[in-house]
DNA sequence: AAATTTATTTAGGCAAACCTAAACTTTAAT
DNA sequence: ATTAAAGTTTAGGTTTGCCTAAATAAATTT
């Protein structure tokens, strides 16, 4: 079992290395972790002794396979809690991070299993980042533009291409956010707009303009 | 802001002193906290310096008013998380404690406010213990036996007087647990049984035997 | 290629929260 | 009222995770 500090190092190495494969520098870690390089050296020796990282003095670190497994577990917890905070407790994106950062360190397999179930096995977090599976797989879903869905097809919103306040407010009003489940109810051939049902309830008609700016993954 | 260790000491003092008023011994604390008496002495000096406890060497500790405020905040968090785990994630009573013990230390006012709201401002936890208010008040509700409720009256289950498996399984099947909201739909004078609606949905008829074993607080 | 700058590690320290062993109080027993 | 036992504190030590300052290695300039 790892301490909170160790977990934060592993997460940081994972993020900086873009998945654990590339080597990461001591200074880079010290910056993301807000500590001094000397402290990082200390910890790397420790993580290396635990076989969680490959560490070659003066030449950076990478995660071992075990290290990657641990990293993905933490990321899974972090992202599931983010979904919980946004979807159930109505946190906004910017309020989420600090709290999830604490919750991700709570130790309980059962808790995460049940949380995942409670949230309906979400595949992406409120930022659109994928949630690793229980087995530790980070599946990269194929993204499709909402405009390309046929009638009856379903999708989960994973990205929006326009971040202008007016557009985001519009999405807010119709009830669309990252993670929202959509289904095409009908197609209006006249102007290529679609009738979309949102989270299995109310439906709205979206113009082809809007449809081009929303990306979904297959459900 | 207190550390996790400090919070655990404060909670332990609160519990052992039965609300913070009576003095608590070093050995008592060392037993509940699973540490050595010497470590307790250390921490008491520290908490005393922070004015969270009144500590007289060789004569025990009590919480100061500030200490009591802190204790009630932690207990509030603990019990709210217990409600969440049982009602939303379907944990059983015995699985709850260890996890809530970790979650209670997550720091975020907003989180607790929102959690409380999400759970519908519960007044008792899954063991029937009262949840302190946001203002730090521990209201002791008046308990009434379910049999004494009149038609239309509501109540929240707070205690059951029979802990035999057969009885608990029966309650389980009809959907009654600590925290369940009940309302008397009708009274059957013939045998003094009551028709009770459970969590605002399905209703059942409970015999007067059963009605005598269930306690509720007014809603 | 040598010199300088930058990056990294080592050495030595500090605070938190624990420990053991020894010293000291209080309580209980004779 | 002494003495023994039990409870508590102090003194000194450990580990974790951080720090600063000094030493060393790598990268960059000249």
């Amino acid at each position: 079992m790892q301490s909170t500090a160790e977990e934060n190092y592993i997460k940081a190495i994972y993020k900086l290395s873009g998945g654990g494969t590339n080597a990461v520098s001591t200074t880079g870690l010290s910056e993301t972790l807000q500590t001094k390089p000397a402290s990082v050296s200390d910890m790397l020796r420790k993580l290396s002794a635990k076989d969680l990282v490959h560490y070659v003095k003066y030449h950076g670190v990478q995660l071992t396979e075990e290290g990657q497994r641990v990293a993905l577990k933490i990321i899974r917890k972090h992202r599931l809690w983010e979904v919980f905070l946004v979807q159930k407790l109505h946190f906004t994106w910017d309020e989420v991070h600090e709290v999830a950062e604490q919750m991700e360190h709570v130790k309980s397999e059962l808790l995460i299993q049940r949380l995942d179930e409670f949230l309906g096995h979400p595949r992406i977090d409120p930022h659109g980042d994928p949630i690793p599976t229980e087995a530790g797989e980070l599946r990269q879903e194929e993204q499709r533009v909402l405009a390309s869905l046929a009638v009856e097809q379903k999708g989960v919103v994973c990205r929006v291409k326009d971040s202008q306040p007016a557009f985001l407010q519009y999405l807010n009003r119709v009830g669309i956010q990252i993670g929202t489940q959509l289904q095409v109810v009908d197609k209006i051939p006249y102007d290529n707009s679609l009738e979309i049902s949102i989270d299995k309830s109310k439906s709205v008609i979206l113009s082809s303009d809007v449809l081009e700016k929303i990306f979904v993954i297959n459900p």
Side-chain angles (χ1 to χ4, degrees), chain A:
Chain A
M1 199 87 296
Q2 296 80 228
S3 70
T4 295
E6 286 170 344
E7 288 188 352
N8 285 333
Y9 273 88
I10 289 171
K11 215 178 36 160
I13 296 169
Y14 185 91
K15 292 215 169 133
L16 281 179
S17 71
T21 25
N22 307 323
V24 165
S25 75
T26 301
T27 331
L29 280 170
S30 85
E31 277 159 11
T32 44
L33 288 165
Q34 304 268 57
T35 58
K36 301 292 156 176
S39 309
V40 174
S41 289
D42 260 14
M43 183 59 96
L44 293 184
R45 205 166 13 78
K46 194 172 149 193
L47 291 176
S48 184
K50 287 194 175 188
D51 280 320
L52 291 165
V53 300
H54 292 301
Y55 172 43
V56 183
K57 275 188 205 172
Y58 295 104
H59 295 280
V61 251
Q62 306 171 248
L63 294 176
T64 59
E65 293 215 345
E66 176 62 10
Q68 286 178 44
R69 257 193 297 280
V70 172
L72 285 167
K73 255 190 187 164
I74 305 166
I75 290 167
R76 174 173 162 81
K77 293 200 269 179
H78 183 98
R79 294 186 179 164
L80 283 173
W81 282 119
E82 285 197 345
V83 172
F84 170 73
L85 293 171
V86 167
Q87 292 194 350
K88 303 292 182 180
L89 301 196
H90 311 300
F91 275 58
T92 58
W93 291 6
D94 43 304
E95 295 167 331
V96 167
H97 198 74
E98 190 190 338
V99 179
E101 204 83 345
Q102 295 179 67
M103 311 247 268
E104 77 191 1
H105 298 295
V106 173
K107 263 96 182 165
S108 167
E109 287 292 329
L110 184 61
L111 175 64
I112 295 307
Q113 266 173 232
R114 292 287 174 83
L115 179 64
D116 185 38
E117 214 173 301
F118 178 60
L119 298 172
H121 306 290
R123 305 233 294 276
I124 49 173
D125 76 8
H127 306 93
D129 296 316
I131 297 172
T133 64
E134 193 167 358
E137 275 147 20
L138 196 59
R139 42 181 166 19
Q140 200 42 268
E141 316 272 356
E142 196 200 339
Q143 296 185 6
R144 302 180 54 180
V145 69
L146 183 49
S148 74
L149 290 197
V151 173
E152 295 280 288
Q153 281 195 303
K154 293 175 183 176
V156 173
V157 178
C158 65
R159 194 158 72 86
V160 296
K161 216 172 147 184
D162 183 338
S163 56
Q164 291 196 289
F167 182 64
L168 296 177
Q169 274 158 33
Y170 168 71
L171 291 184
N172 240 10
R173 196 134 51 83
V174 299
I176 288 177
Q177 56 179 192
I178 306 291
T180 303
Q181 287 179 43
L182 304 179
Q183 179 165 23
V184 178
V185 175
D186 202 3
K187 175 157 194 163
I188 295 109
Y190 167 66
D191 63 351
N192 284 323
S193 62
L194 293 177
E195 184 183 350
I196 304 282
S197 89
I198 291 171
D199 275 329
K200 291 172 191 159
S201 52
K202 64 166 181 178
S203 72
V204 292
I205 295 191
L206 300 181
S207 72
S208 72
D209 265 23
V210 171
L211 293 171
E212 289 293 341
K213 291 175 175 171
I214 297 174
F215 287 77
V216 298
I217 56 180
N218 39 319

